[in-house]
């Protein structure tokens, strides 16, 4: 363990002694394969799970003070960690997951799972989350990515988001417009910031109708997606005016493998881990697909999965 990490841990230990509300689980040499839906990735030097926003901001301060690099993880459902892992601190929002309602507004901590938000909204006869129900991510990760499915994106329901601006060292609020949402894009991709919580605007509807829509969307996913294998969802972004998965299929790449990574035979847009896949396998497979699509269609498709090293 390098000197910076030791200093970082010393500062965290001091917080524990002197700040009563400071609470975080700290794991060392933690395999990222345990924290990503791809089940791939080497060890993070330190893996932290703060219990509240003030503990999270303390951790960020400690990282800056000791010169330790950090990255944030929600449910790890859009991430590919390098086989060498992450030399620094991976900060998980897993423990910051409370959900509450004020009228027809849902207020969710960054680590709340979209599926939990959808279920609780349905139970309150509030509509707006049902199309996002099957996305295996957190509210923070979904805002960062502007996740969406079946015609609803986060941009359609976000009222405002509270975040910690690590550059300015203070908590700020972004209005919907300030998120600069785009296709799988938000302002947070270009900000040194951590999403803490968000207010989502829902509308009243019958709980039974909401539930039946949720079950329909869930069935669509089960029928079309290779949910029986670890993956990070759609590996490639949509190309304007084209279906990326269809092009990959037409290129004859369904079932094509590199090591344990494979283009799903069920859905050509998914790269799956058939067992023992490494990050290198996935990266090589993705490059092969991009090359073939460039040659056949003369276009450059973009990877949606975020690679972290
Ligand atoms: C089977 C499957 C199906 C999927 N279906 C869909 C789908 O239909 N539509 C869709 O859009 N996506 C889909 N995805 C992809 C993924 O679930 C979404 O992108 C999801 O929103 C990611 O959330 P997460 O919490 O897992 O984020 P992570 O994967 O943990 O992180 C994603 C990015 O967000 C950043 N981040 C996470 N939390 C915070 C925070 N609090 N503050 C700042 N940055 C943060 C991370 O640093 C990282 O860069 C699917 C994935 C799988 C495995």
């Amino acid at each position: 363990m390098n000197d910076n990490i030791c200093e970082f841990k010393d500062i965290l230990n001091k917080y524990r002694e002197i700040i009563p509300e400071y609470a975080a689980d700290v794991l060392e040499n933690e395999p990222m394969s345990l924290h990503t839906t791809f089940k791939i990735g080497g060890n993070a030097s330190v893996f932290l799970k703060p219990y509240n926003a003030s503990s999270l901001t303390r951790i960020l301060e400690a990282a800056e003070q000791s010169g330790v690099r950090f990255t944030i993880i929600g449910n790890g459902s859009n991430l590919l960690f390098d086989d060498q892992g992450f030399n620094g601190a991976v900060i998980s929002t897993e423990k910051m997951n409370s959900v509450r309602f004020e009228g027809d507004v849902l207020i969710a901590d960054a680590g709340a799972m979209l599926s939990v938000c959808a279920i609780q909204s349905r139970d309150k006869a509030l509509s707006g989350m049902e199309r996002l129900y099957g996305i295996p991510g957190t509210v923070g990760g979904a805002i960062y990515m502007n996740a969406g499915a079946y015609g609803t994106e986060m941009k359609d329901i976000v009222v405002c988001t509270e975040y910690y601006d690590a550059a300015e060292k203070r908590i700020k609020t972004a209005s919907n417009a300030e998120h600069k949402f785009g296709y799988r894009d938000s302002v947070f991709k270009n900000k040194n910031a951590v999403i803490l919580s968000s207010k989502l605007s829902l509308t009243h509807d019958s709980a039974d109708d909401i539930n039946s829509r949720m079950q329909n969307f869930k069935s669509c996913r089960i029928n079309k997606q290779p949910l029986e294998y670890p993956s990070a969802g759609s590996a490639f972004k949509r190309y304007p005016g084209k279906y990326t998965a269809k092009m990959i299929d037409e290129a004859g790449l369904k079932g094509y493998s590199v090591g344990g990574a494979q283009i799903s035979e069920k859905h050509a847009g998914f790269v799956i881990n058939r067992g023992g896949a490494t990050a290198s396998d996935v990266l090589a497979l993705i490059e092969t697909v991009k090359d073939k699509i460039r040659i056949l269609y003369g276009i450059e498709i973009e990877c949606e999965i975020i690679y972290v090293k």
Side-chain angles (χ1 to χ4, degrees):
M1 186 152 296
N2 66 35
D3 289 349
N4 294 9
I5 297 282
C6 290
E7 190 189 337
F8 176 61
K9 282 176 44 210
D10 284 347
I11 302 172
L12 296 181
N13 284 334
K14 269 200 198 102
Y15 286 165
R16 230 179 257 287
E17 286 164 21
I18 60 171
I19 306 171
E21 73 277 12
Y22 176 80
D25 293 345
V26 181
L27 306 169
E28 285 176 34
N29 294 320
E30 182 67 3
M32 293 314 298
S33 53
L34 297 180
H35 299 279
T36 53
T37 55
F38 235 147
K39 310 248 173 284
I40 294 174
N43 293 359
S45 319
V46 197
F47 187 86
L48 302 113
K49 300 188 217 175
Y51 280 54
N52 49 50
S54 77
S55 302
L56 187 147
T57 56
R58 295 293 174 154
I59 289 169
L60 296 177
E61 282 165 18
E64 196 197 357
Q65 243 176 288
S66 50
V68 166
R69 59 202 280 266
F70 71 86
T71 191
I72 307 291
I73 186 171
N75 194 44
S77 65
N78 208 45
L79 295 176
L80 176 67
F81 273 88
D82 191 78
D83 298 317
Q84 299 304 313
F86 186 78
N87 182 10
V90 176
I91 304 169
S92 161
T93 56
E94 180 187 326
K95 300 278 184 189
M96 295 164 50
N97 57 17
S98 91
V99 175
R100 65 194 170 87
F101 293 84
E102 273 177 15
D104 54 7
V105 172
L106 183 159
I107 304 168
D109 280 352
M113 292 294 287
L114 291 175
S115 53
V116 170
C117 294
I119 288 168
Q120 293 203 18
S121 302
R122 176 203 60 197
D123 293 347
K124 295 224 174 268
L126 288 170
S127 166
M129 295 291 306
E130 52 267 41
R131 288 161 201 267
L132 308 172
Y133 173 51
I135 301 178
T138 60
V139 167
I143 289 172
Y144 183 96
M145 296 298 299
N146 186 24
Y150 306 111
T152 299
E153 290 179 318
M154 290 306 286
K155 76 168 170 48
D156 303 318
I157 53 172
V158 167
V159 178
C160 60
T161 293
E162 196 168 79
Y163 66 98
Y164 180 75
D165 188 319
E168 294 185 23
K169 297 193 181 52
R170 64 187 180 101
I171 292 176
K172 293 169 82 174
T173 303
S175 65
N176 180 298
E178 286 166 337
H179 284 70
K180 299 192 173 126
F181 283 124
Y183 171 56
R184 300 294 171 265
D185 196 26
S186 77
V187 75
F188 292 103
K189 286 198 169 176
N190 300 309
K191 249 189 198 308
N192 184 8
V194 183
I195 296 160
L196 300 174
S197 67
S198 193
K199 290 188 178 179
L200 309 177
S201 170
L202 307 174
T203 51
H204 291 276
D205 199 354
S206 125
D208 285 346
D209 289 353
I210 297 169
N211 193 49
S212 88
R213 287 197 291 273
M214 279 164 69
Q215 300 319 319
N216 269 344
F217 295 126
K218 188 175 166 189
S219 303
C220 285
R221 282 182 186 274
I222 293 170
N223 291 336
K224 292 198 176 132
Q225 300 181 356
L227 302 182
E228 56 281 22
Y229 289 103
S231 79
S234 288
F236 300 96
K237 289 187 182 174
R238 265 193 333 250
Y239 189 87
K242 309 244 183 220
Y243 290 107
T244 314
K246 191 161 172 270
M247 288 190 287
I248 298 171
D249 190 1
E250 284 170 4
L253 288 167
K254 253 189 181 174
Y256 179 78
S257 304
V258 176
Q262 187 185 53
I263 298 294
S264 163
E265 295 187 13
K266 191 170 175 185
H267 187 315
F270 277 62
V271 172
I272 56 171
N273 178 357
R274 297 262 316 179
T278 61
S280 312
D281 293 340
V282 173
L283 293 172
L285 184 56
I286 285 172
E287 278 317 305
T288 305
V289 172
K290 287 170 80 173
D291 287 348
K292 196 116 193 226
I293 296 297
R294 189 184 310 113
I295 293 164
L296 283 177
Y297 296 90
I299 60 173
E300 200 63 46
I301 55 170
E302 250 185 273
C303 188
E304 184 172 325
I305 299 167
I306 298 172
Y307 169 55
V308 187
K309 67 172 183 172

